[in-house]
Amino acid sequence: MVARLSDKNPVIPGDALIGEMVPPPMFDEVSFDSYIPDPNEPSQAAAVAAARDFVARASKVRGGKRGFFRKSAPPQGIGLYLDGGFGVGKTHLLASIYHSMPEPKAFATFGEVTNLVGALGYADALERLSGHSVLCIDEFELDDPGDTMVVSRLLSELSARGVSIVATSNTLPGQLGEGRFAAADFLREIQKLAGIFESIRVDGPDYRHRDLPPAPEPSSDAALLEQAENTQNATLDSFDELTAHLATLHPSKYKSLVDGVSLVCVSDVHPAADQAVALRLVALIDRLYDADIPVVTSGVKLDELFTPEMVAGGYRKKYLRATSRLLALSRFAETAA
C-alpha cells in the first residue's frame, strides 16, 4: 500500500528548530564561483560583488573589538537585501554568503523565522541567535501585522548585538506589504526594517523557465497510482485529503512531513478553494522545492492551481513563485520518469 502524507503528524522539539536553520540540500555545494552571471544582465555580476563584499565586512563585524571599556556597545551588524524576480539566483547567492561566514550562523525562510519565535518564545530565540555571525532570511514575507512587528524587533535587536543580516525577496524593503490586506498597518514597522538593509537589485529571466515547455499535461489516475506503487518512498494523496490535513498542522511541521519522501503524487488536483488553502499549499511547495522532491499529479494543470483572482491579489508574487517552483518539480518528475 502506498504511504500518504495525510497519515503523518510529525512532532518536532522546539530546540531542534535552530539546528535545522541551514540551506536546503540543493544549495549544499553552491559558492560565489559557481554562480554564473548572465552576460546580458550586469546586475547579476554586481550582486555577486556586493555579496562578497558583505561577507568581508560582516566577518569583521563579528570579529571586531568592542573597545577598551567593558560597557562599550558591541559593533553593529550590517545588512544586505537582494531584490529581484523569480529564479535569478538570489537563493544561490544567499546560500553562498552563508557558507562563507564563520560559525555559528543560520539560514531560514521568513516563515521559519516566525515559526522559531513561536516555538521557542521571543526571548529564547533572540538569545540563541544573538551569538551568530549572520542570519540569512530567504523570501522575506510580511503577511501578518503581528509577524511584521515581531521580526522587525528581532532583527533590530540582533543587529544591535552584532549579528549581520542578509535577506532575499521580490519587493524592495520600503515596499514590503504593499498591495496586501491592512498594508497601512505595516508602514511604521516596514520603515524600521528598511533602514537595516543595503538594497541590491538582481535582474534576469527565471532560470527555471529558460528553454522549458509550459506546464506538463496531468497524469491519469491509473498512471499516477502505478507510478506511486513502483517508486520506493513515494506518497499518494487526493488533493482534498492533503489540503484538509495541511490545515491540521502548523506550517513548521511541513518540512518534517516530507522528510524521506522520494516522490509526491497527488490525484484530482483542482484550483485552491480559498486563500487559506492556497497559502498552505505555498508553504508545502516551498518545503518540497527545498528538498528537491518531484511532484506528479492528476486533475487540472499545475499552472491552474491558483485562480486568476488570487494571482491578481495581494499575494501575487507568492503564488507566482510557488507556481514556478511547482512546475520545476513536475518537470523534474518527468525527467526522472
Side-chain angles (χ1 to χ4, degrees), residues 245-268:
H245 185 57
L246 292 179
T248 70
L249 301 176
H250 190 277
S252 63
K253 295 185 175 183
Y254 290 4
K255 182 176 181 178
S256 295
L257 184 69
V258 299
D259 277 352
V261 176
S262 64
L263 173 70
V264 167
C265 301
V266 184
S267 64
D268 302 317

Side-chain angles (χ1 to χ4, degrees), residues 217-228:
E217 290 296 325
S219 176
S220 68
D221 287 338
L224 191 68
L225 175 61
E226 181 181 4
Q227 187 167 359

Side-chain angles (χ1 to χ4, degrees), residues 258-330:
V258 299
D259 277 352
V261 176
S262 64
L263 173 70
V264 167
C265 301
V266 184
S267 64
D268 302 317
V269 171
H270 57 78
D274 57 39
Q275 201 88 265
V277 172
L279 291 174
R280 292 187 199 105
L281 288 170
V282 168
L284 178 65
I285 291 165
D286 285 343
R287 301 289 76 77
L288 291 171
Y289 185 77
D290 288 346
D292 215 15
I293 299 173
V295 175
V296 183
T297 62
S298 68
V300 303
K301 287 187 176 183
L302 292 177
D303 56 4
E304 300 174 22
L305 179 59
F306 305 112
T307 67
E309 293 77 15
M310 288 180 179
V311 174
Y315 296 101
R316 172 180 174 81
K317 291 182 178 180
K318 182 176 284 192
Y319 293 142
L320 291 177
R321 183 193 76 222
T323 300
S324 173
R325 290 181 166 184
L326 188 56
L327 293 180
L329 293 175
S330 67

Side-chain angles (χ1 to χ4, degrees), residues 18 21 24 43 48 59 67-68 74 76 89 104 115 133 143 159 176 180 193 201 204 216 221 247 250 283 285 291 335:
I18 288 285
M21 295 178 76
S43 66
V48 174
S59 298
F68 182 80
Q76 183 85 9
N115 290 340
S133 65
D143 300 327
S159 179
L176 290 170
R180 294 181 178 168
L193 285 173
R201 180 75 187 180
D221 287 338
H250 190 277
I285 291 165
T335 303

Side-chain angles (χ1 to χ4, degrees), residues 92-137:
H92 184 131
L93 291 176
L94 187 68
S96 299
I97 290 172
Y98 172 89
H99 292 313
S100 300
M101 289 293 292
E103 296 280 2
K105 52 193 174 182
F107 182 111
T109 64
F110 179 85
E112 287 170 339
V113 173
T114 58
N115 290 340
L116 178 76
V117 174
L120 300 181
Y122 181 86
D124 194 10
L126 174 63
E127 190 61 32
R128 288 172 181 266
L129 292 173
S130 62
H132 284 51
S133 65
V134 69
L135 172 59
C136 299
I137 305 177

